Amino acid sequence: MTDPASRTPGTARDGRLSYAVFQLARVHRGHAAAMLRDMNLHPGQELLLMQLFDRDGQTQSELLETVGLDHSTVSKSLRRMQEAGLLTREPADHDRRVMVVHLTDKGRALREPIAQMWRNLEDISVRDLTREQIEAFTATAYAVERSLRKHGRAQGE
């Protein structure tokens, strides 16, 4: 099997880490999407559900802030999820323009299948790594994320 680093395009050779992150994210997202399809979910919907599992009854704005997706994606996802019977959206008592999102029984029933999906994805992802490699990679990944948030371009630029 060819070393993946040797397949890095010449124009990305000075950005090998960034290219590796891109490739990793693409493959990881693909595996996660296939697992989500088996649960009749679209990628990103599980992120919204996980936030609601932790704290049901959030506003759309709160969900938007916690999942890091854009407004139109969250709005479209919530609409689809409501149509699928996973959640309800109702105007808030304090302000009828604010929508509050609640899980239905059908949505709550996805808690364990989603947790199992993440366990399975983790098992596949780290199968060939030691505990030390997992810890080092996780710390490094969060350090790269912090650096991008602090020093990267502002969203929307």
Side-chain angles (χ1 to χ4, degrees), residues 25-50 67-70 72-78 80-81 86 114 117-118 121:
R26 185 182 58 78
V27 171
H28 196 268
R29 188 177 304 115
H31 281 284
M35 293 171 147
L36 290 166
R37 277 193 299 275
D38 290 343
M39 290 186 276
N40 295 317
L41 293 174
H42 295 277
Q45 290 179 339
E46 85 284 9
L47 301 175
L48 293 163
L49 287 168
M50 290 189 307
V67 296
L69 300 171
D70 65 79
S72 63
T73 300
V74 169
S75 185
K76 182 178 175 182
S77 292
L78 291 174
R80 282 182 173 174
M81 294 165 72
L86 302 175
I114 289 174
M117 182 216 79
W118 281 103
L121 188 57

Side-chain angles (χ1 to χ4, degrees), residues 50-74:
M50 290 189 307
Q51 291 301 318
L52 291 167
F53 295 149
D54 287 349
R55 188 169 64 85
D56 199 3
Q58 294 184 56
T59 66
Q60 284 189 206
S61 296
E62 289 170 324
L63 286 169
L64 181 69
E65 190 175 307
T66 56
V67 296
L69 300 171
D70 65 79
H71 183 272
S72 63
T73 300
V74 169

Side-chain angles (χ1 to χ4, degrees), residues 101-120:
V101 183
H102 291 278
L103 290 168
T104 63
D105 289 341
K106 184 177 178 181
R108 278 188 287 281
L110 287 173
R111 183 183 192 109
E112 183 50 36
I114 289 174
Q116 186 61 50
M117 182 216 79
W118 281 103
R119 284 190 293 272
N120 292 344

Side-chain angles (χ1 to χ4, degrees), residues 8 12 14-25 144 148:
T8 302
D14 290 337
R16 291 179 333 152
L17 179 131
S18 295
Y19 189 77
V21 168
F22 171 79
Q23 291 292 85
L24 170 62
V144 170
L148 285 167

